[in-house]
Amino acid sequence: VYCPLNPYDPVDRLKTLIEDTRACIILTHTATINRFDDHVFPSHVVFVNMDDVTLNTSMNMSILSSIDVSSDDVAYVVHTSG
């Protein structure tokens, strides 16, 4: 599932979106990683700083390919407040 998160949204809304979509991985970057403080979000969620990925640091890349995907999976979610 791809569900865009606005780092300027209140933390409670971000948490609700992550829980509702059952997200496993949250893609962030250096400018927004501090908005996604680990202790507020479910413990199964992995935060991946895309700046680390694009700069080819020693990050464990296997977390990006360890999720099983089938043709029955939803590819995109737009979550509205209404």
Side-chain angles (χ1 to χ4, degrees):
V1 169
Y2 172 76
C3 179
L5 300 174
N6 184 344
Y8 299 107
D9 281 349
V11 171
D12 286 339
R13 174 155 172 79
L14 296 171
K15 184 177 177 186
T16 298
L17 289 169
I18 290 168
E19 290 171 350
D20 285 355
T21 59
R22 292 185 240 153
C24 302
I25 298 175
I26 306 297
L27 304 178
T28 66
H29 53 80
T30 302
T32 60
I33 189 68
N34 63 343
R35 286 292 293 148
F36 299 95
D37 193 356
D38 304 32
H39 74 274
V40 175
F41 299 99
S43 60
H44 71 277
V45 175
V46 175
F47 294 90
V48 176
N49 185 331
M50 293 306 293
D51 293 334
D52 291 343
V53 172
T54 57
L55 295 174
N56 283 328
T57 64
S58 60
M59 188 191 133
N60 181 358
M61 300 298 278
S62 66
I63 64 170
L64 297 177
S65 61
S66 64
I67 299 173
D68 292 327
V69 178
S70 76
S71 60
D72 294 328
D73 292 328
V74 176
Y76 192 86
V77 173
V78 176
H79 201 288
T80 66
S81 59

